[in-house]
Amino acid sequence: MCGNHQNFDAYAFSKQPGFDEAAVRKEFAKAVPLKTVVVYCYDPRIAQVPRLVAEEFGQTHPGNIVTDGSGNKIASTTNVFEVCVAGGRAYDALRSVTVAQHLFGIENIVIVHHTHCGATSFTKEGIIDAYKQEHEAEIEQLYPAESICISDYIASLEHDVQLMRDSAGTPKHTNIYGYMYDIDEEKLIKVTQSLAA
């Protein structure tokens, strides 16, 4: 344990005197005009994906930081939040979507896979066996088999859009889209969608 023991509770909303969860939630909803959550890979070659998604939907990213009279950073003008996970897989983003809806409200979820993705370089059997041999660890039960790698881009996007739609933590009023990002062409290609009823 580090010797520097700062009082991090001073920065936790729930630790403040008179904490009112409902009131704090209302303030969060006003702090950021969130409309879209984009789920994409942490590959640095596709760092521009959130900006391109914002352009595709006529929104703003990264936006500007809003400060109060004391210079405290209290909000943002962005419409797009980012969830970066290996391969841009929906399974890893489910909790983030639930939290984004609870705090800010969302209209769209955009799941983006990309060309030349590392998640296409291995099979579910390959990574499971490698962990057994290299780390003496059994990971087969850790993750759903269909969310471990990408063996087919279209099938993966269709699966992820449906997984997101079927999650109880995904609001029913959201539109969910599956896109491919072509690294070489630097463009988004819509593959599938599930629009709100």
Side-chain angles (χ1 to χ4, degrees):
M1 184 178 288
C2 295
N4 184 2
H5 298 287
Q6 291 184 333
N7 180 16
F8 293 120
D9 285 351
Y11 305 104
F13 292 100
S14 61
K15 299 285 187 177
Q16 302 312 305
F19 169 67
D20 180 336
E21 185 170 351
V24 170
R25 183 177 178 207
K26 285 180 185 176
E27 290 304 310
F28 262 89
K30 291 189 263 181
V32 179
L34 181 61
K35 295 182 186 292
T36 299
V37 171
V38 58
V39 180
Y40 69 110
C41 187
Y42 49 51
D43 188 322
R45 298 174 296 169
I46 67 166
Q48 62 275 22
V49 161
R51 177 184 54 79
L52 294 173
V53 167
E55 290 173 7
E56 179 90 354
F57 288 84
Q59 297 174 2
T60 302
H61 185 277
N64 298 308
I65 301 298
V66 177
T67 56
D68 65 13
S70 301
N72 297 310
K73 298 173 185 173
I74 59 168
S76 169
T77 63
T78 191
N79 299 129
V80 178
F81 272 10
E82 307 171 47
V83 180
C84 291
V85 295
R89 298 308 306 266
Y91 177 79
D92 302 310
L94 292 172
R95 180 181 163 276
S96 293
V97 165
T98 301
V99 171
Q101 171 59 33
H102 182 69
L103 292 179
F104 303 101
I106 56 177
E107 297 174 6
N108 306 299
I109 301 164
V110 181
I111 300 164
V112 181
H113 293 356
H114 67 90
T115 57
H116 313 295
C117 182
T120 66
S121 70
F122 59 89
T123 64
K124 63 183 177 188
E125 295 83 9
I127 193 170
I128 290 168
D129 290 345
Y131 261 78
K132 284 179 186 173
Q133 294 176 19
E134 298 168 19
H135 306 287
E136 298 179 2
E138 179 56 64
I139 66 167
E140 187 169 5
Q141 303 304 315
L142 288 180
Y143 316 104
E146 57 278 353
S147 294
I148 292 178
C149 64
I150 297 175
S151 56
D152 178 276
Y153 282 116
I154 292 175
S156 177
L157 280 167
E158 289 174 345
H159 172 270
D160 280 13
V161 166
Q162 193 61 51
L163 178 70
M164 190 64 73
R165 172 59 71 208
D166 292 342
S167 171
T170 300
K172 301 303 179 206
H173 66 266
T174 56
N175 298 309
I176 306 171
Y177 302 90
Y179 278 81
M180 274 294 291
Y181 175 69
D182 186 315
I183 286 181
D184 298 319
E185 296 290 328
E186 298 185 353
K187 67 178 183 180
L188 289 170
I189 303 157
K190 185 162 61 172
V191 173
T192 187
Q193 65 185 23
S194 174
L195 302 180

